[in-house]
Amino acid sequence: MEPLKAAQDSRSSTTGPLPASTKPSAEGVSPPPTDTVSDKQKTPPAGLLPGETVVQEGKASILFPSANEVFYNPVQEFNRDLTCAVITEFARDVLAQRGVKVLVPGEKERVVVSLSEETNEADAQTEEKNEAEEPPVTAPVGEKCEHGLRVLEGLAASGLRSVRFALEVPGLQSVTANDFSTKAAALIARNAQYNGVSHLLRASCRDASMLMYEMRGKKERYDVIDLDPYGSPASFLDAAVQAVSDGGLLCITCTDMAVMAGNSGETCYSKYGSVSIKAKYCHEMALRIILHSLDQRAGVYQRYIRPLLSVSVDFYIRVFVRVFTGQATVKNSASKQALVYNCVGCGSFHLQKMGRRTSNGKHMKYSAATGPPVGPECEHCGQRHQMGGPIWAEPICDLAFVQKVLSAVSGNPSRFGTSKRIEGMLSMVTEELEDVPLYYTVDSLSSTIHCNTPPLLQFRSALLHAGYRVSLSHACKNAIKTDAPPAAIWDIMRCWEKANPVKREKLSQTSPAFKILSTDPGLEACFTVREDANPQSRKRHLTRFQENPQAFWGPKARARAGGGSSTDLQDKRKKCQNKRKNQITDSSQLKNFPCKRFRQGGKKSHFHELAAG
């Protein structure tokens, strides 16, 4: 969710003249950095209005009103850092084809050292030819590149993200920071002037969807579109897949994780065309739901997506996809989507592809898929199945591209404030099995049969000894991604239960645990720890998951027009999350506390009789 979200109550949909900036009047406010833009291009910095403060992030200094007119969440710095890193590598690949070389501050030149003592004549001639050629066009940060990328931030609010693009991402031709609020648009213009990037960044006050619809022409499309709304981006996706250029980049953030994680399956279907279900793998399923929705909307216009990077982070998900045009490739869409059959008893799941494609010589034959992959009852525990989806069943990341981003961030760690976490997160992404959708969790498997939880390395080793592949997942700490079928996973758990027996007499005969443990294992599991069971990201103790930087660091309250909040945020948390609205700290007050079983004024419960005696 964008950290500085302006209130969306203002309904002016036309671009009007923005208020003029005030002269510098604040004391103790340092001017913006001077190492990114030449003095000729810079404009005098704007002053602070009453009640404003300066928020510093990366190379940007943002004027921030102290009232609750805009939304701010400093934890989202990871989101913005990762976006800058991804767009930089995207620009490096795209502009290289246009003969432009991007220059990233702090990045060292790659030097190729020849190990041979003698240089042959062919190499010498090639080197002389390269020296004779004119040097390529370079694109440093903060300067306008004529052959660079055109970037749109549809929901910019104060423009923090757009200002960071202008100051930190090289090879940009223009950045359009749009917001539906006139106050936000005025603040964007002031922040662009304050940071000296007015030559790159243009403030816009339009409806984001209408702005993108008007830019659907092939020569007017944006190379990069970033959407980071407060909540669901569903209403903007149709316009976004049309307004991005062929091979362009879409950056989408979804903060409605409750809907996408199974709390409201019908709402998820109405927004994304997919039914979400409650399962341990819900965070990865949320990623695959948004990818399915993007591919489905793009297919309407004979376009298709290619995911570059998709991550589930804390309370939101972030996807980076490239959009291409191609009628022939769009036909593969059905075979990339799948339904999910999830057992409500033991949590076993199976995927059912929506379509099938087979190679017929030089041609591809498309047909309907056959199924279902399961019967009316689960073969392991006898319980019923839930059906969710469709979801994206193909790889959610391009490992080659992720490796480029990881190499650039790890080689230049001072560039971002969250470089360590980016390195840890992307390291886990490169280790994941890309052809295995969804995952199990070790604690849920143990909870199903009521036994103690096996150590993660031992369980991974057992799968490796059995001949299956296994990896962790960036979306969950104790997740297990494996190509092993559910039958093999439960055989391993049965072997673990034999060494750590449970009290069978206490199990109900209709429970999943009784059904699973009543069957003898079909393989002999070996729990000896293997060296390859521990991935490199875990061995190196990389920062893979979010650490609480402060109390109550999660999503903040939505911004309000005019600022202010009806109730204090902490009081609202206590009211909504605590079991009792009025906590009882004195034990003597328990005598007057109404029993849950009987209404107040009715028959006294046994609890009241004991308290009275």
Side-chain angles (χ1 to χ4, degrees):
M1 142 188 7
E2 181 59 27
L4 296 171
K5 283 296 174 199
Q8 299 294 318
D9 295 336
S10 176
R11 296 303 176 188
S12 172
S13 61
T14 59
T15 304
L18 301 178
S21 303
T22 59
K23 296 181 180 181
S25 59
E27 296 180 358
V29 178
S30 59
T34 59
D35 58 342
T36 57
V37 186
S38 62
D39 295 337
K40 294 182 180 180
Q41 294 173 328
K42 293 186 106 177
T43 54
L48 298 181
L49 297 178
E52 282 187 338
T53 57
V54 178
V55 175
Q56 184 75 34
E57 182 179 297
K59 292 185 178 181
S61 300
I62 299 300
L63 305 177
F64 176 60
S66 57
N68 191 35
E69 294 181 351
V70 294
F71 177 84
Y72 178 66
N73 188 0
V75 179
Q76 286 283 32
E77 181 182 1
F78 173 79
N79 186 333
R80 294 182 289 274
D81 286 351
L82 182 62
T83 303
C84 290
V86 169
I87 296 180
T88 299
E89 294 308 308
F90 173 74
R92 194 193 305 272
D93 292 344
V94 173
L95 296 187
Q97 302 174 7
R98 305 177 185 177
V100 180
K101 179 181 180 182
V102 299
L103 301 179
V104 180
E107 191 172 81
K108 298 180 180 179
E109 292 287 341
R110 298 180 180 178
V111 180
V112 180
V113 180
S114 178
L115 300 180
S116 60
E117 297 181 357
E118 299 180 357
T119 305
N120 54 37
E121 296 180 0
D123 293 339
Q125 294 177 359
T126 302
E127 186 177 353
E128 292 177 359
K129 182 178 180 181
N130 293 336
E131 292 178 356
E133 293 179 354
E134 295 182 0
V137 179
T138 58
V141 296
E143 295 185 6
K144 187 174 183 178
C145 178
E146 294 299 330
H147 303 284
L149 305 180
R150 299 174 64 244
V151 182
L152 168 67
E153 185 186 2
L155 309 164
S158 68
L160 170 60
R161 188 181 295 257
S162 294
V163 171
R164 290 198 58 184
F165 291 163
L167 290 174
E168 301 178 29
V169 179
L172 301 183
Q173 183 183 18
S174 65
V175 179
T176 302
N178 176 78
D179 199 277
F180 204 30
S181 169
T182 54
K183 291 183 179 180
L187 186 59
I188 292 169
R190 293 185 62 232
N191 281 321
Q193 185 179 10
Y194 185 78
N195 288 269
V197 291
S198 298
H199 62 290
L200 269 178
L201 196 155
R202 181 180 68 89
S204 171
C205 184
R206 299 287 304 278
D207 177 88
S209 295
M210 293 304 298
L211 175 61
M212 290 186 286
Y213 278 131
E214 293 178 1
M215 306 299 287
R216 292 179 296 175
K218 292 184 178 181
K219 296 182 180 180
E220 298 175 341
R221 294 173 181 172
Y222 294 99
D223 298 296
V224 180
I225 295 180
D226 189 297
L227 297 177
D228 190 1
Y230 192 104
S232 172
S235 58
F236 307 103
L237 298 183
D238 182 79
V241 297
Q242 296 185 67
V244 69
S245 62
D246 190 15
L249 178 66
L250 277 183
C251 313
I252 310 293
T253 298
C254 303
T255 55
D256 54 339
M257 282 294 291
V259 172
M260 305 182 74
N263 284 1
S264 302
E266 66 285 350
T267 303
C268 184
Y269 182 80
S270 65
K271 290 183 177 181
Y272 304 104
S274 178
V275 178
S276 60
I277 56 178
K278 287 187 177 181
K280 294 298 180 180
Y281 48 75
C282 61
H283 289 88
E284 183 180 331
M285 187 173 182
L287 283 175
R288 296 182 177 275
I289 286 176
I290 184 63
L291 292 176
H292 157 74
S293 182
L294 285 170
D295 187 68
Q296 186 181 43
R297 295 169 194 261
V300 176
Y301 309 103
Q302 300 301 316
R303 313 194 79 184
Y304 63 95
I305 67 169
R306 182 181 300 168
L308 292 183
L309 175 62
S310 307
V311 291
S312 177
V313 187
D314 308 328
F315 49 85
Y316 66 94
I317 61 177
R318 183 71 166 167
V319 297
F320 303 89
V321 301
R322 296 188 69 175
V323 181
F324 296 90
T325 302
Q327 183 177 4
T329 310
V330 172
K331 294 182 180 180
N332 298 329
S333 179
S335 60
K336 296 178 181 179
Q337 321 298 326
L339 295 172
V340 181
Y341 290 85
N342 182 78
C343 176
V344 299
C346 64
S348 302
F349 60 86
H350 299 79
L351 268 65
Q352 168 67 62
K353 289 291 185 70
M354 299 290 292
R356 182 176 60 177
R357 68 175 187 263
T358 54
S359 178
N360 187 11
K362 296 182 179 180
H363 302 281
M364 192 69 68
K365 182 180 179 181
Y366 301 92
S367 59
T370 58
V374 295
E377 297 180 350
C378 177
E379 60 178 325
H380 309 292
C381 67
Q383 300 293 320
R384 58 185 176 86
H385 289 94
Q386 282 181 322
M387 189 174 69
I391 65 171
W392 178 265
E394 295 293 297
I396 59 177
C397 297
D398 184 342
L399 293 184
F401 180 83
V402 175
Q403 191 62 50
K404 291 180 181 179
V405 179
L406 175 60
S407 177
V409 173
S410 59
N412 190 9
S414 61
R415 185 184 177 196
F416 302 115
T418 60
S419 293
K420 290 185 178 180
R421 191 182 174 202
I422 293 177
E423 182 180 358
M425 173 76 72
L426 298 186
S427 297
M428 290 199 68
V429 170
T430 58
E431 295 169 350
E432 290 185 23
L433 295 177
E434 57 178 341
D435 58 340
V436 178
L438 309 182
Y439 54 80
Y440 294 93
T441 59
V442 182
D443 56 342
S444 65
L445 295 174
S446 304
S447 178
T448 300
I449 60 176
H450 304 289
C451 72
N452 60 346
T453 305
L456 184 63
L457 293 184
Q458 287 188 258
F459 189 82
R460 286 171 53 91
S461 299
L463 288 169
L464 292 173
H465 283 301
Y468 299 105
R469 295 179 297 146
V470 62
S471 73
L472 298 178
S473 172
H474 78 278
C476 183
K477 290 185 177 181
N478 56 347
I480 294 292
K481 293 177 72 73
T482 179
D483 59 349
I489 294 176
W490 287 122
D491 281 342
I492 293 176
M493 291 304 299
R494 293 185 186 102
C495 295
W496 175 260
E497 189 274 337
K498 283 187 177 182
N500 304 270
V502 300
K503 296 181 179 180
R504 304 288 184 93
E505 63 275 7
K506 292 187 176 182
L507 299 178
S508 172
Q509 294 186 0
T510 59
S511 65
F514 184 85
K515 295 282 187 179
I516 293 174
L517 296 179
S518 298
T519 305
D520 293 330
L523 60 85
E524 188 65 28
C526 177
F527 293 97
T528 304
V529 177
R530 291 176 43 150
E531 181 66 24
D532 54 349
N534 197 14
Q536 288 296 322
S537 61
R538 198 168 182 268
K539 288 181 180 179
R540 296 167 57 191
H541 303 286
L542 298 179
T543 304
R544 300 174 294 163
F545 300 99
Q546 174 67 48
E547 298 177 356
N548 294 359
Q550 58 187 4
F552 305 107
W553 61 272
K556 309 300 181 184
R558 182 189 291 268
R560 295 176 179 270
S565 180
S566 59
T567 58
D568 185 77
L569 187 60
Q570 309 307 332
D571 293 340
K572 185 177 180 181
R573 280 196 175 97
K574 293 179 181 179
K575 179 180 178 181
C576 296
Q577 295 184 4
N578 289 3
K579 294 182 179 180
R580 299 172 181 173
K581 295 182 179 180
N582 299 319
Q583 291 288 318
I584 297 178
T585 56
D586 187 2
S587 59
S588 61
Q589 298 179 8
L590 291 173
K591 296 181 180 181
N592 300 324
F593 186 78
C595 181
K596 295 181 180 179
R597 188 173 180 181
F598 299 94
R599 294 182 178 179
Q600 189 173 6
K603 182 179 178 181
K604 289 186 178 181
S605 66
H606 181 62
F607 171 78
H608 284 88
E609 293 176 356
L610 293 177

